[in-house]
Amino acid sequence: MKKTLCLLLCAVLCGVLLCGCAEKPQTETSAVVSVDSEVSVDPGPGRYEETYYDLFDTECTFIAFTESETEFHEISDKLHEYLLTYHKLYDIYNDYEGLNNMRALNMAAGTEPMIVDGKILDLLELGKRAYEVSGGKVNIAYGTVLSQWHTMQRVADEDNVYVLPNEDTLKECATHTNINDVVIDRENSTAFIKDAATKLNVGATGKGYAAPKGCESANALGAPSGALNMGGNVCTIGVKQDDGAKWSVGIADPDGNGYIEAVEVADKCVVTSGDYERYFEVEGERYCHLIDPATNYPARTFRSTTVIGDDAGLCDALSTALFLLSLDEGKQLIENTDGVEAFWILADGSTAQSSGFAALAVNKNDESGE
Amino acid sequence: MLSALLLLAAALFVFHFAAPKKAGAAAKITVDNQTVATLPLSKNTTYKVETAVGYNLVVIENGRAFVREADCKNQICVKSRAIARAGESIVCLPHKMTVSIVGGEPPAVDFVV
């Protein structure tokens, strides 16, 4: 009797121990994943993503559903190359040998027209449209003022020196921001800045122009379902291939607790302008990168503004415009523009939304995913 | 002898079923799209990411991940918000480093902007 009991206990013990052993690797791999477990077998059809770190001075992430990992990387590498051509053309800080880019155009201000790539002419035309739509709040010819602020941001980041631009200098710079001094000549494929002191800055329009072009390119390269996030400009291709769901985009809580609202889109773009990623502080005051041409200082009404629509270039310009306008002016602008919706987070943390925004919003009760 | 064995069996039994079955959310750290570490958010820790061009000190504290310190030029990663939800990320462009939250519940959203 005693013996059988002992045997039984041993069996139970062994069972428990074996069970424990069998389950251990599972918990370990999910808790601490090591790289060496990577095997060179293609996982096959699925969702893949890659981040590019060298585009438009911001992080860009590409997601796509492809038949294999190899196929994904083929598309992703070509997309990266494609976006790099836009990056170089729209770069106002660096020279590239033999390339007449935005920086070259700025350097040639006040001299003579320069032959440029059609992609530059397209962007300049979008810039003029953005100026009109935003009532002058979004101005590609505002570069001279923006470079003053950019310098202070760089000094803050790199040297930990926190200073503001000189007010008189800002005023003087602001006299060289006339959009009509930017001359586009389609016939001769040239562009020209008439005033030597006027400089272009395409920060508010460049990514918005390139993002949908990137999506088109990825689609043509063989991705029927994907999304591209270029530093807050999200463009999407179709619906998600695995479950047919739309792409979901969260609008960040500016104080860092995930997102406070989320929208679902397919073949649309979502663009957010916010004060919480690029800024510096002087005497406890926050100075973000979104400068109001009316004051030459950062706008303070909102923490972030988001625009959802079909045309990424327009959405990019509109989200910047909303950040710089009052809530009433912004609401009017959105309601008078076809096919766009908007979401505002105000300085006090309260929110506002356009009349059709609710139809795009994700039902909060479904968020848990259970 | 028997009671000792019984106790041991009972202890093992309890331990086995009380042990966590599923790992919660974790912070995945990548450098140029290669995973270098995956740290569970449930355990407070500090991890130094060494890249070819510099370092980032990633901290896991009370279920959130953030970059405490880095020798990158722009310090954007250091100023970034702490992250805790699947799909959120912190990026250091100069070091090509990303900290993103993976696992736990399925990602509620594809992007946070």
Side-chain angles (χ1 to χ4, degrees), chain A residues 47 51 53 240 248 250 252, chain B residues 33 35 81 88 98 110-111 113:
Chain A
R47 173 190 170 124
T51 299
Y53 295 90
K240 287 190 268 186
S248 54
Chain B
N33 288 294
T35 305
R81 306 158 292 178
E88 288 188 290
T98 299
D110 295 298
F111 298 106
V113 294

Side-chain angles (χ1 to χ4, degrees), chain A residues 13 27 31 35 47 50-51 53 57-58 157-158 229 234 240 247-250 252-253 256-259 272 279, chain B residues 2 12 20-21 23 33 35 38 40 64 73-74 76 79 81-82 85 88 93 96 98 108-113:
Chain A
L13 263 173
T27 34
V35 212
R47 173 190 170 124
E50 182 159 14
T51 299
Y53 295 90
D57 206 16
T58 187
D157 290 340
E158 294 176 15
N229 176 12
V234 175
K240 287 190 268 186
W247 296 93
S248 54
V249 182
D253 178 342
N257 293 306
Y259 56 88
T272 294
Y279 66 89
Chain B
L2 181 66
L12 276 167
K21 287 234 167 94
N33 288 294
T35 305
T38 305
R64 289 145 68 98
K73 263 164 81 178
N74 61 31
I76 287 173
K79 284 188 285 186
R81 306 158 292 178
R85 292 190 67 158
E88 288 188 290
L93 289 183
K96 298 190 174 188
T98 299
V109 292
D110 295 298
F111 298 106
V112 175
V113 294

